[in-house]
Amino acid sequence: MLLHLSTWLEVEAYLERSTGIILPIGSTEQHGPTGLIGTDAICAEAIAQGVGTEIEALVAPTIQVGMALHHTAFPGSMSLRPSTMILVIRDYLTSLAKAGFRKFFFINGHGGNVATLKAAFSETYDHLSNLGISNEVQCVVSNWYMCSSVYQLAKELYGNQEGSHATPSEVAVTQYVYPDFIKSAPLSESVAKGHRIYGAIDFRRNYPDGRMGSNPALATPEHGEQLYQLAVKEISREYLTFLG
Protein backbone atom coordinates (compact mmCIF):
# COMPACT_ATOMS: atom_id res chain seq x y z
CA MET A 1 0.00 0.00 0.00
CA LEU A 2 1.98 2.94 -1.33
CA LEU A 3 0.89 6.49 -0.60
CA HIS A 4 2.10 7.85 -3.93
CA LEU A 5 0.10 5.20 -5.83
CA SER A 6 -3.08 5.87 -3.87
CA THR A 7 -5.85 8.42 -4.34
CA TRP A 8 -6.96 10.81 -1.63
CA LEU A 9 -10.20 8.87 -1.36
CA GLU A 10 -8.26 5.67 -0.66
CA VAL A 11 -6.18 7.43 1.97
CA GLU A 12 -9.31 8.82 3.59
CA ALA A 13 -10.76 5.32 3.75
CA TYR A 14 -7.51 3.97 5.19
CA LEU A 15 -7.61 6.55 8.00
CA GLU A 16 -10.95 5.15 9.12
CA ARG A 17 -9.19 1.95 10.19
CA SER A 18 -5.66 3.13 10.99
CA THR A 19 -3.79 6.34 11.79
CA GLY A 20 -0.41 4.68 11.32
CA ILE A 21 1.97 5.15 8.41
CA ILE A 22 5.43 3.83 7.60
CA LEU A 23 8.10 6.24 6.37
CA PRO A 24 11.25 4.69 4.86
CA ILE A 25 14.34 6.86 5.17
CA GLY A 26 17.86 6.25 3.98
CA SER A 27 20.77 8.16 2.52
CA THR A 28 22.53 8.86 -0.76
CA GLU A 29 26.18 8.27 0.04
CA GLN A 30 29.22 6.24 -0.96
CA HIS A 31 29.30 2.59 0.10
CA GLY A 32 32.80 1.58 -0.82
CA PRO A 33 34.04 0.42 -4.23
CA THR A 34 31.20 -2.09 -4.79
CA GLY A 35 28.24 -0.66 -2.86
CA LEU A 36 25.54 1.36 -4.58
CA ILE A 37 25.35 5.01 -3.55
CA GLY A 38 21.65 4.52 -2.85
CA THR A 39 22.20 1.47 -0.61
CA ASP A 40 20.67 2.91 2.57
CA ALA A 41 17.55 4.18 0.82
CA ILE A 42 17.18 1.01 -1.29
CA CYS A 43 17.25 -1.22 1.78
CA ALA A 44 14.86 0.94 3.81
CA GLU A 45 12.42 1.23 0.91
CA ALA A 46 12.37 -2.47 0.07
CA ILE A 47 11.88 -3.53 3.68
CA ALA A 48 9.23 -0.85 4.31
CA GLN A 49 7.26 -1.96 1.27
CA GLY A 50 7.59 -5.56 2.41
CA VAL A 51 6.21 -4.66 5.84
CA GLY A 52 3.40 -2.63 4.25
CA THR A 53 2.40 -5.61 2.12
CA GLU A 54 2.68 -8.04 5.04
CA ILE A 55 0.35 -6.14 7.37
CA GLU A 56 -1.56 -3.86 4.97
CA ALA A 57 0.00 -0.65 6.23
CA LEU A 58 0.36 2.53 4.20
CA VAL A 59 3.93 3.37 3.16
CA ALA A 60 4.98 6.96 2.42
CA PRO A 61 7.47 7.92 -0.31
CA THR A 62 11.07 7.13 0.62
CA ILE A 63 13.21 9.95 1.95
CA GLN A 64 16.29 9.31 -0.19
CA VAL A 65 18.74 11.91 1.14
CA GLY A 66 19.62 11.97 4.82
CA MET A 67 22.36 13.32 7.07
CA ALA A 68 25.60 12.17 5.43
CA LEU A 69 27.87 15.20 5.58
CA HIS A 70 30.80 13.01 6.59
CA HIS A 71 30.59 11.11 3.27
CA THR A 72 30.62 14.12 0.98
CA ALA A 73 34.33 13.91 0.12
CA PHE A 74 33.37 10.95 -2.10
CA PRO A 75 31.80 11.82 -5.49
CA GLY A 76 28.06 11.23 -5.70
CA SER A 77 27.33 11.52 -2.01
CA MET A 78 24.56 13.95 -1.07
CA SER A 79 23.46 15.24 2.30
CA LEU A 80 21.02 17.41 4.15
CA ARG A 81 22.35 19.48 7.02
CA PRO A 82 20.88 18.34 10.35
CA SER A 83 18.94 21.62 10.61
CA THR A 84 17.51 21.13 7.10
CA MET A 85 16.60 17.52 7.76
CA ILE A 86 14.78 18.47 10.95
CA LEU A 87 12.62 20.93 9.00
CA VAL A 88 11.98 18.39 6.22
CA ILE A 89 10.79 15.77 8.72
CA ARG A 90 8.72 18.34 10.61
CA ASP A 91 7.00 19.50 7.43
CA TYR A 92 6.35 15.93 6.21
CA LEU A 93 4.77 14.97 9.51
CA THR A 94 2.79 18.17 9.86
CA SER A 95 1.15 17.58 6.48
CA LEU A 96 0.23 14.02 7.41
CA ALA A 97 -0.91 14.96 10.92
CA LYS A 98 -3.28 17.56 9.47
CA ALA A 99 -4.88 14.73 7.48
CA GLY A 100 -5.38 12.62 10.61
CA PHE A 101 -2.28 10.44 10.87
CA ARG A 102 -0.99 10.01 14.42
CA LYS A 103 1.50 7.10 14.46
CA PHE A 104 4.67 7.64 12.42
CA PHE A 105 6.95 4.64 12.06
CA PHE A 106 10.28 5.35 10.35
CA ILE A 107 12.19 2.42 8.87
CA ASN A 108 15.75 3.70 8.71
CA GLY A 109 18.71 2.46 6.71
CA HIS A 110 21.42 4.90 7.79
CA GLY A 111 23.01 5.26 11.21
CA GLY A 112 23.84 8.91 10.57
CA ASN A 113 20.12 9.74 10.49
CA VAL A 114 19.31 8.58 14.01
CA ALA A 115 20.33 11.59 16.11
CA THR A 116 18.76 14.06 13.68
CA LEU A 117 15.54 12.04 13.47
CA LYS A 118 15.16 12.06 17.24
CA ALA A 119 15.73 15.81 17.32
CA ALA A 120 13.16 16.20 14.53
CA PHE A 121 10.60 14.23 16.53
CA SER A 122 11.00 16.58 19.50
CA GLU A 123 10.64 19.64 17.29
CA THR A 124 7.60 18.14 15.56
CA TYR A 125 5.82 17.40 18.83
CA ASP A 126 6.32 21.01 19.92
CA HIS A 127 5.32 22.40 16.52
CA LEU A 128 2.11 20.36 16.35
CA SER A 129 1.22 21.29 19.91
CA ASN A 130 1.65 24.98 19.10
CA LEU A 131 -0.60 24.54 16.05
CA GLY A 132 -3.21 22.86 18.21
CA ILE A 133 -3.36 19.89 15.82
CA SER A 134 -2.81 17.03 18.21
CA ASN A 135 -0.99 15.97 21.34
CA GLU A 136 -1.44 12.30 20.38
CA VAL A 137 1.23 12.12 17.67
CA GLN A 138 3.92 9.51 18.26
CA CYS A 139 7.08 8.88 16.23
CA VAL A 140 9.57 6.03 16.41
CA VAL A 141 12.54 4.92 14.35
CA SER A 142 13.35 1.30 13.59
CA ASN A 143 16.83 0.64 12.19
CA TRP A 144 16.42 -2.47 10.04
CA TYR A 145 20.09 -3.42 10.38
CA MET A 146 19.70 -3.56 14.16
CA CYS A 147 16.91 -6.14 14.12
CA SER A 148 18.09 -8.95 16.39
CA SER A 149 17.45 -11.63 13.77
CA VAL A 150 19.24 -9.63 11.07
CA TYR A 151 22.19 -8.87 13.33
CA GLN A 152 22.52 -12.52 14.32
CA LEU A 153 22.45 -13.79 10.73
CA ALA A 154 24.96 -11.15 9.60
CA LYS A 155 27.37 -12.26 12.32
CA GLU A 156 26.90 -15.91 11.33
CA LEU A 157 27.50 -15.16 7.66
CA TYR A 158 30.30 -12.61 7.89
CA GLY A 159 31.75 -12.62 11.40
CA ASN A 160 34.05 -9.68 12.07
CA GLN A 161 34.11 -8.88 8.33
CA GLU A 162 30.61 -7.39 8.63
CA GLY A 163 32.18 -4.10 9.71
CA SER A 164 30.11 -0.97 10.25
CA HIS A 165 29.80 0.70 6.84
CA ALA A 166 29.53 -0.68 3.31
CA THR A 167 28.72 -3.92 5.07
CA PRO A 168 28.15 -7.20 3.25
CA SER A 169 24.67 -7.44 4.81
CA GLU A 170 23.40 -4.17 3.35
CA VAL A 171 25.14 -4.80 0.02
CA ALA A 172 23.51 -8.24 -0.06
CA VAL A 173 20.04 -6.71 0.32
CA THR A 174 20.69 -4.36 -2.60
CA GLN A 175 21.88 -7.33 -4.66
CA TYR A 176 18.61 -9.10 -3.91
CA VAL A 177 16.53 -6.04 -4.78
CA TYR A 178 18.56 -5.03 -7.87
CA PRO A 179 20.32 -8.16 -9.20
CA ASP A 180 21.12 -6.41 -12.48
CA PHE A 181 23.24 -3.80 -10.67
CA ILE A 182 25.68 -6.00 -8.77
CA LYS A 183 29.10 -4.34 -8.88
CA SER A 184 32.62 -5.71 -8.66
CA ALA A 185 35.92 -3.98 -7.99
CA PRO A 186 39.29 -4.86 -6.45
CA LEU A 187 39.17 -4.76 -2.65
CA SER A 188 42.29 -4.70 -0.52
CA GLU A 189 42.52 -7.35 2.18
CA SER A 190 43.35 -4.72 4.78
CA VAL A 191 40.51 -2.33 5.60
CA ALA A 192 40.52 0.58 8.01
CA LYS A 193 38.36 0.57 11.15
CA GLY A 194 38.09 2.18 14.55
CA HIS A 195 38.82 5.80 13.62
CA ARG A 196 36.70 8.63 15.00
CA ILE A 197 34.86 10.71 12.42
CA TYR A 198 35.45 14.47 12.48
CA GLY A 199 34.26 15.45 9.02
CA ALA A 200 34.26 14.54 5.34
CA ILE A 201 37.96 15.15 4.61
CA ASP A 202 39.01 13.34 7.77
CA PHE A 203 36.69 10.44 6.92
CA ARG A 204 38.19 9.94 3.46
CA ARG A 205 41.73 10.23 4.81
CA ASN A 206 41.11 7.50 7.40
CA TYR A 207 38.82 5.33 5.24
CA PRO A 208 40.27 5.87 1.74
CA ASP A 209 38.06 3.36 -0.10
CA GLY A 210 34.95 4.18 1.94
CA ARG A 211 34.69 0.91 3.84
CA MET A 212 34.74 0.70 7.63
CA GLY A 213 36.03 -2.72 8.63
CA SER A 214 33.82 -4.50 6.10
CA ASN A 215 34.24 -7.04 3.31
CA PRO A 216 31.29 -6.58 0.94
CA ALA A 217 32.79 -9.19 -1.42
CA LEU A 218 31.11 -11.75 0.86
CA ALA A 219 27.62 -10.51 -0.07
CA THR A 220 25.29 -12.57 -2.27
CA PRO A 221 21.70 -12.02 -3.45
CA GLU A 222 20.72 -15.19 -1.58
CA HIS A 223 22.01 -13.71 1.66
CA GLY A 224 20.12 -10.53 0.83
CA GLU A 225 16.85 -12.38 0.48
CA GLN A 226 17.33 -14.06 3.86
CA LEU A 227 18.16 -10.77 5.56
CA TYR A 228 15.23 -9.01 3.87
CA GLN A 229 12.74 -11.65 4.99
CA LEU A 230 14.00 -11.57 8.58
CA ALA A 231 13.78 -7.77 8.68
CA VAL A 232 10.25 -7.71 7.26
CA LYS A 233 9.04 -10.31 9.75
CA GLU A 234 10.60 -8.67 12.81
CA ILE A 235 9.68 -5.09 11.90
CA SER A 236 6.09 -6.10 11.08
CA ARG A 237 5.73 -7.30 14.67
CA GLU A 238 7.37 -4.12 15.94
CA TYR A 239 5.00 -1.92 13.93
CA LEU A 240 1.90 -3.73 15.16
CA THR A 241 3.13 -3.39 18.74
CA PHE A 242 3.67 0.34 18.15
CA LEU A 243 0.11 0.71 16.91
CA GLY A 244 -1.10 -1.00 20.07
mmCIF file of all heavy atoms in Angstrom, residues 86-87 89-90 93-94 97 117-139:
data_model
loop_
_atom_site.group_PDB
_atom_site.id
_atom_site.type_symbol
_atom_site.label_atom_id
_atom_site.label_comp_id
_atom_site.label_asym_id
_atom_site.label_seq_id
_atom_site.Cartn_x
_atom_site.Cartn_y
_atom_site.Cartn_z
ATOM 1 N N ILE A 86 15.785 18.294 9.905
ATOM 2 C CA ILE A 86 14.778 18.473 10.954
ATOM 3 C C ILE A 86 13.539 19.164 10.388
ATOM 4 O O ILE A 86 12.404 18.755 10.643
ATOM 5 C CB ILE A 86 15.355 19.267 12.143
ATOM 6 C CG1 ILE A 86 16.344 18.389 12.921
ATOM 7 C CG2 ILE A 86 14.239 19.762 13.069
ATOM 8 C CD1 ILE A 86 17.134 19.146 13.974
ATOM 9 N N LEU A 87 13.753 20.209 9.584
ATOM 10 C CA LEU A 87 12.621 20.929 8.996
ATOM 11 C C LEU A 87 11.873 20.071 7.974
ATOM 12 O O LEU A 87 10.648 20.136 7.883
ATOM 13 C CB LEU A 87 13.109 22.223 8.346
ATOM 14 C CG LEU A 87 13.648 23.289 9.309
ATOM 15 C CD1 LEU A 87 14.168 24.485 8.528
ATOM 16 C CD2 LEU A 87 12.578 23.717 10.305
ATOM 17 N N ILE A 89 11.589 16.749 7.974
ATOM 18 C CA ILE A 89 10.791 15.772 8.724
ATOM 19 C C ILE A 89 9.589 16.455 9.366
ATOM 20 O O ILE A 89 8.459 15.949 9.318
ATOM 21 C CB ILE A 89 11.652 15.080 9.798
ATOM 22 C CG1 ILE A 89 12.806 14.292 9.159
ATOM 23 C CG2 ILE A 89 10.794 14.160 10.664
ATOM 24 C CD1 ILE A 89 12.391 13.191 8.227
ATOM 25 N N ARG A 90 9.820 17.619 9.973
ATOM 26 C CA ARG A 90 8.717 18.340 10.614
ATOM 27 C C ARG A 90 7.624 18.674 9.613
ATOM 28 O O ARG A 90 6.429 18.491 9.900
ATOM 29 C CB ARG A 90 9.239 19.627 11.255
ATOM 30 C CG ARG A 90 8.226 20.302 12.180
ATOM 31 C CD ARG A 90 8.643 21.709 12.520
ATOM 32 N NE ARG A 90 8.463 22.614 11.369
ATOM 33 C CZ ARG A 90 8.742 23.917 11.398
ATOM 34 N NH1 ARG A 90 9.260 24.466 12.491
ATOM 35 N NH2 ARG A 90 8.530 24.666 10.331
ATOM 36 N N LEU A 93 5.679 15.477 8.486
ATOM 37 C CA LEU A 93 4.767 14.966 9.508
ATOM 38 C C LEU A 93 3.613 15.920 9.778
ATOM 39 O O LEU A 93 2.495 15.488 10.079
ATOM 40 C CB LEU A 93 5.530 14.670 10.797
ATOM 41 C CG LEU A 93 6.654 13.632 10.681
ATOM 42 C CD1 LEU A 93 7.186 13.269 12.060
ATOM 43 C CD2 LEU A 93 6.205 12.390 9.947
ATOM 44 N N THR A 94 3.871 17.208 9.670
ATOM 45 C CA THR A 94 2.787 18.172 9.859
ATOM 46 C C THR A 94 1.714 17.994 8.796
ATOM 47 O O THR A 94 0.511 18.003 9.100
ATOM 48 C CB THR A 94 3.342 19.609 9.816
ATOM 49 O OG1 THR A 94 4.283 19.790 10.886
ATOM 50 C CG2 THR A 94 2.224 20.632 9.966
ATOM 51 N N ALA A 97 -0.135 14.811 9.693
ATOM 52 C CA ALA A 97 -0.911 14.960 10.924
ATOM 53 C C ALA A 97 -2.177 15.773 10.679
ATOM 54 O O ALA A 97 -3.238 15.503 11.264
ATOM 55 C CB ALA A 97 -0.064 15.614 12.009
ATOM 56 N N LEU A 117 16.943 12.452 13.416
ATOM 57 C CA LEU A 117 15.537 12.041 13.470
ATOM 58 C C LEU A 117 14.949 12.271 14.858
ATOM 59 O O LEU A 117 13.831 12.795 14.990
ATOM 60 C CB LEU A 117 15.408 10.563 13.099
ATOM 61 C CG LEU A 117 15.308 10.219 11.622
ATOM 62 C CD1 LEU A 117 15.353 8.709 11.430
ATOM 63 C CD2 LEU A 117 14.042 10.785 11.011
ATOM 64 N N LYS A 118 15.672 11.896 15.880
ATOM 65 C CA LYS A 118 15.155 12.058 17.241
ATOM 66 C C LYS A 118 14.971 13.538 17.587
ATOM 67 O O LYS A 118 13.998 13.918 18.255
ATOM 68 C CB LYS A 118 16.070 11.350 18.232
ATOM 69 C CG LYS A 118 16.022 9.833 18.094
ATOM 70 C CD LYS A 118 16.892 9.122 19.118
ATOM 71 C CE LYS A 118 16.744 7.614 18.974
ATOM 72 N NZ LYS A 118 17.580 6.876 19.954
ATOM 73 N N ALA A 119 15.894 14.364 17.116
ATOM 74 C CA ALA A 119 15.729 15.809 17.319
ATOM 75 C C ALA A 119 14.512 16.314 16.550
ATOM 76 O O ALA A 119 13.752 17.163 17.046
ATOM 77 C CB ALA A 119 16.990 16.545 16.876
ATOM 78 N N ALA A 120 14.309 15.791 15.343
ATOM 79 C CA ALA A 120 13.158 16.199 14.534
ATOM 80 C C ALA A 120 11.845 15.806 15.201
ATOM 81 O O ALA A 120 10.857 16.549 15.122
ATOM 82 C CB ALA A 120 13.246 15.569 13.140
ATOM 83 N N PHE A 121 11.826 14.657 15.835
ATOM 84 C CA PHE A 121 10.603 14.233 16.529
ATOM 85 C C PHE A 121 10.261 15.229 17.640
ATOM 86 O O PHE A 121 9.096 15.636 17.790
ATOM 87 C CB PHE A 121 10.781 12.837 17.127
ATOM 88 C CG PHE A 121 10.985 11.737 16.122
ATOM 89 C CD1 PHE A 121 11.471 10.501 16.517
ATOM 90 C CD2 PHE A 121 10.696 11.931 14.777
ATOM 91 C CE1 PHE A 121 11.663 9.482 15.594
ATOM 92 C CE2 PHE A 121 10.885 10.907 13.845
ATOM 93 C CZ PHE A 121 11.367 9.671 14.264
ATOM 94 N N SER A 122 11.250 15.626 18.408
ATOM 95 C CA SER A 122 11.002 16.581 19.496
ATOM 96 C C SER A 122 10.476 17.899 18.954
ATOM 97 O O SER A 122 9.529 18.489 19.506
ATOM 98 C CB SER A 122 12.299 16.821 20.284
ATOM 99 O OG SER A 122 12.703 15.652 20.952
ATOM 100 N N GLU A 123 11.086 18.381 17.870
ATOM 101 C CA GLU A 123 10.638 19.641 17.291
ATOM 102 C C GLU A 123 9.226 19.508 16.719
ATOM 103 O O GLU A 123 8.419 20.444 16.816
ATOM 104 C CB GLU A 123 11.613 20.115 16.217
ATOM 105 C CG GLU A 123 11.237 21.467 15.647
ATOM 106 C CD GLU A 123 12.409 22.248 15.096
ATOM 107 O OE1 GLU A 123 13.541 22.067 15.581
ATOM 108 O OE2 GLU A 123 12.182 23.065 14.197
ATOM 109 N N THR A 124 8.926 18.358 16.136
ATOM 110 C CA THR A 124 7.595 18.136 15.559
ATOM 111 C C THR A 124 6.525 18.112 16.633
ATOM 112 O O THR A 124 5.446 18.701 16.455
ATOM 113 C CB THR A 124 7.579 16.813 14.764
ATOM 114 O OG1 THR A 124 8.529 16.890 13.701
ATOM 115 C CG2 THR A 124 6.200 16.549 14.185
ATOM 116 N N TYR A 125 6.799 17.430 17.738
ATOM 117 C CA TYR A 125 5.818 17.400 18.835
ATOM 118 C C TYR A 125 5.491 18.824 19.298
ATOM 119 O O TYR A 125 4.323 19.180 19.481
ATOM 120 C CB TYR A 125 6.361 16.602 20.026
ATOM 121 C CG TYR A 125 6.601 15.146 19.774
ATOM 122 C CD1 TYR A 125 7.670 14.484 20.379
ATOM 123 C CD2 TYR A 125 5.766 14.400 18.940
ATOM 124 C CE1 TYR A 125 7.902 13.134 20.166
ATOM 125 C CE2 TYR A 125 5.986 13.049 18.719
ATOM 126 C CZ TYR A 125 7.066 12.426 19.334
ATOM 127 O OH TYR A 125 7.300 11.091 19.125
ATOM 128 N N ASP A 126 6.529 19.634 19.459
ATOM 129 C CA ASP A 126 6.318 21.005 19.924
ATOM 130 C C ASP A 126 5.578 21.814 18.865
ATOM 131 O O ASP A 126 4.650 22.580 19.189
ATOM 132 C CB ASP A 126 7.670 21.647 20.233
ATOM 133 C CG ASP A 126 7.530 23.059 20.772
ATOM 134 O OD1 ASP A 126 7.000 23.228 21.886
ATOM 135 O OD2 ASP A 126 7.950 23.996 20.067
ATOM 136 N N HIS A 127 5.944 21.655 17.612
ATOM 137 C CA HIS A 127 5.316 22.396 16.522
ATOM 138 C C HIS A 127 3.831 22.061 16.418
ATOM 139 O O HIS A 127 2.979 22.977 16.310
ATOM 140 C CB HIS A 127 6.038 22.062 15.217
ATOM 141 C CG HIS A 127 5.487 22.754 14.012
ATOM 142 N ND1 HIS A 127 5.546 24.129 13.837
ATOM 143 C CD2 HIS A 127 4.854 22.259 12.898
ATOM 144 C CE1 HIS A 127 4.987 24.455 12.682
ATOM 145 N NE2 HIS A 127 4.560 23.343 12.096
ATOM 146 N N LEU A 128 3.506 20.774 16.461
ATOM 147 C CA LEU A 128 2.106 20.365 16.345
ATOM 148 C C LEU A 128 1.290 20.826 17.550
ATOM 149 O O LEU A 128 0.124 21.205 17.410
ATOM 150 C CB LEU A 128 2.010 18.850 16.192
ATOM 151 C CG LEU A 128 2.568 18.270 14.876
ATOM 152 C CD1 LEU A 128 2.468 16.752 14.889
ATOM 153 C CD2 LEU A 128 1.821 18.835 13.672
ATOM 154 N N SER A 129 1.910 20.811 18.712
ATOM 155 C CA SER A 129 1.225 21.287 19.909
ATOM 156 C C SER A 129 0.911 22.779 19.793
ATOM 157 O O SER A 129 -0.197 23.233 20.127
ATOM 158 C CB SER A 129 2.085 21.024 21.144
ATOM 159 O OG SER A 129 1.467 21.531 22.302
ATOM 160 N N ASN A 130 1.860 23.539 19.280
ATOM 161 C CA ASN A 130 1.650 24.978 19.104
ATOM 162 C C ASN A 130 0.567 25.262 18.065
ATOM 163 O O ASN A 130 -0.139 26.271 18.157
ATOM 164 C CB ASN A 130 2.953 25.661 18.698
ATOM 165 C CG ASN A 130 3.963 25.703 19.834
ATOM 166 O OD1 ASN A 130 3.600 25.614 20.995
ATOM 167 N ND2 ASN A 130 5.244 25.821 19.489
ATOM 168 N N LEU A 131 0.441 24.379 17.066
ATOM 169 C CA LEU A 131 -0.597 24.539 16.050
ATOM 170 C C LEU A 131 -1.961 24.074 16.546
ATOM 171 O O LEU A 131 -2.983 24.343 15.910
ATOM 172 C CB LEU A 131 -0.231 23.754 14.780
ATOM 173 C CG LEU A 131 0.962 24.250 13.963
ATOM 174 C CD1 LEU A 131 1.194 23.329 12.766
ATOM 175 C CD2 LEU A 131 0.743 25.685 13.485
ATOM 176 N N GLY A 132 -1.966 23.388 17.677
ATOM 177 C CA GLY A 132 -3.214 22.864 18.210
ATOM 178 C C GLY A 132 -3.757 21.690 17.411
ATOM 179 O O GLY A 132 -4.961 21.399 17.461
ATOM 180 N N ILE A 133 -2.886 21.003 16.656
ATOM 181 C CA ILE A 133 -3.355 19.891 15.817
ATOM 182 C C ILE A 133 -3.623 18.657 16.646
ATOM 183 O O ILE A 133 -4.688 18.048 16.576
ATOM 184 C CB ILE A 133 -2.320 19.580 14.712
ATOM 185 C CG1 ILE A 133 -2.270 20.750 13.722
ATOM 186 C CG2 ILE A 133 -2.667 18.288 13.977
ATOM 187 C CD1 ILE A 133 -1.203 20.592 12.652
ATOM 188 N N SER A 134 -2.626 18.247 17.423
ATOM 189 C CA SER A 134 -2.809 17.031 18.209
ATOM 190 C C SER A 134 -1.690 16.881 19.208
ATOM 191 O O SER A 134 -0.546 17.245 18.939
ATOM 192 C CB SER A 134 -2.835 15.799 17.302
ATOM 193 O OG SER A 134 -2.889 14.613 18.076
ATOM 194 N N ASN A 135 -2.023 16.352 20.388
ATOM 195 C CA ASN A 135 -0.985 15.966 21.336
ATOM 196 C C ASN A 135 -0.885 14.441 21.407
ATOM 197 O O ASN A 135 -0.322 13.891 22.343
ATOM 198 C CB ASN A 135 -1.272 16.544 22.731
ATOM 199 C CG ASN A 135 -2.616 16.092 23.279
ATOM 200 O OD1 ASN A 135 -3.323 15.298 22.656
ATOM 201 N ND2 ASN A 135 -2.977 16.594 24.450
ATOM 202 N N GLU A 136 -1.446 13.765 20.407
ATOM 203 C CA GLU A 136 -1.443 12.305 20.385
ATOM 204 C C GLU A 136 -0.436 11.743 19.387
ATOM 205 O O GLU A 136 -0.313 10.523 19.245
ATOM 206 C CB GLU A 136 -2.843 11.790 20.022
ATOM 207 C CG GLU A 136 -3.924 12.225 21.009
ATOM 208 C CD GLU A 136 -5.319 11.864 20.515
ATOM 209 O OE1 GLU A 136 -5.428 11.392 19.369
ATOM 210 O OE2 GLU A 136 -6.273 12.047 21.279
ATOM 211 N N VAL A 137 0.276 12.585 18.677
ATOM 212 C CA VAL A 137 1.226 12.118 17.672
ATOM 213 C C VAL A 137 2.401 11.409 18.341
ATOM 214 O O VAL A 137 2.943 11.885 19.345
ATOM 215 C CB VAL A 137 1.726 13.290 16.805
ATOM 216 C CG1 VAL A 137 2.932 12.884 15.966
ATOM 217 C CG2 VAL A 137 0.602 13.788 15.910
ATOM 218 N N GLN A 138 2.784 10.270 17.769
ATOM 219 C CA GLN A 138 3.921 9.506 18.261
ATOM 220 C C GLN A 138 4.808 9.115 17.086
ATOM 221 O O GLN A 138 4.310 8.718 16.029
ATOM 222 C CB GLN A 138 3.468 8.250 19.010
ATOM 223 C CG GLN A 138 2.674 8.537 20.269
ATOM 224 C CD GLN A 138 2.217 7.266 20.969
ATOM 225 O OE1 GLN A 138 2.301 6.174 20.412
ATOM 226 N NE2 GLN A 138 1.739 7.410 22.181
ATOM 227 N N CYS A 139 6.114 9.223 17.274
ATOM 228 C CA CYS A 139 7.084 8.884 16.231
ATOM 229 C C CYS A 139 8.122 7.925 16.801
ATOM 230 O O CYS A 139 8.596 8.116 17.925
ATOM 231 C CB CYS A 139 7.815 10.130 15.732
ATOM 232 S SG CYS A 139 6.759 11.491 15.203
#
